[in-house]
């Protein structure tokens, strides 16, 4: 499998068919792929990934990212990691939002910070 790496801010990548491993590192990047059979990995803030038919893997890491897919096929994978990331499938928002919560056994935030600090110091 071929590997392509693109580094830089505000890069625009357009492909008809992706059968390779495409990696983009930078902020405010735009990736447009018609048919994704390979792997797309984007690392950066304010990035957009637009795919018409997704058969492969899409990984987006960074804040305020947007992945738009027209049609997902069986066996594909989409992973979003970062705050305010959204997944749009066929015009509908499919992103799962989770909020951080305190442990039910702690009274305040100091108890949580102390347990994490002692674990890291080991």
């Amino acid at each position: 499998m071929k590997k392509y790496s693109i580094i830089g801010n505000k890069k625009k990548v357009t492909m008809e068919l992706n059968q390779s491993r495409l990696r983009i590192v930078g902020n405010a990047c735009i990736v447009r792929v018609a048919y994704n059979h390979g792997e797309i990995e984007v690392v950066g803030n304010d990035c957009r990934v637009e795919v018409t038919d997704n058969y492969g893997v899409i990984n987006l890491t960074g804040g305020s990212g947007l992945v738009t897919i027209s049609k997902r096929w069986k066996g594909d994978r989409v992973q979003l990691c970062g705050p305010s990331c959204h997944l749009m499938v066929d015009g509908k928002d499919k992103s799962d939002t989770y909020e951080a919560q305190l442990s039910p056994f702690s009274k305040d935030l100091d108890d949580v910070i102390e347990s994490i600090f002692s674990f890291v110091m080991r």
Side-chain angles (χ1 to χ4, degrees):
M1 178 182 278
K2 292 184 180 180
K3 296 179 183 179
Y4 298 102
S5 295
I6 299 168
I7 299 173
N9 295 328
K10 298 183 180 179
K11 298 292 181 181
K12 294 180 183 178
V13 178
T14 303
M15 298 177 80
E16 182 69 28
L17 176 63
N18 179 33
Q19 293 181 333
S20 60
R21 185 172 183 195
L22 178 63
R23 184 165 196 238
I24 295 105
V25 178
N27 296 321
C29 294
I30 299 172
V31 179
R32 289 188 179 112
V33 176
Y35 302 100
N36 180 33
H37 291 277
E39 182 178 341
I40 299 172
E41 181 181 1
V42 179
V43 179
N45 298 320
D46 300 320
C47 294
R48 287 189 330 193
V49 178
E50 300 172 5
V51 176
T52 304
D53 288 330
N54 186 34
Y55 299 90
V57 179
I58 299 173
N59 293 322
L60 177 69
T61 305
S64 302
L66 175 65
V67 176
T68 304
I69 302 172
S70 296
K71 188 164 186 179
R72 294 185 70 179
W73 293 88
K74 187 175 182 178
D76 73 339
R77 272 192 349 219
V78 178
Q79 181 179 3
L80 306 175
C81 182
S84 301
C85 288
H86 293 282
L87 172 63
M88 303 289 287
V89 178
D90 197 25
K92 297 176 185 172
D93 192 5
K94 299 284 185 175
S95 49
D96 297 326
T97 56
Y98 300 103
E99 294 183 14
Q101 297 177 356
L102 290 176
S103 170
F105 302 107
S106 64
K107 299 290 183 196
D108 58 0
L109 185 61
D110 290 335
D111 295 337
V112 176
I113 292 174
E114 283 181 22
S115 64
I116 293 172
F117 183 73
S118 63
F119 177 75
V120 171
M121 292 303 291
R122 286 185 196 172

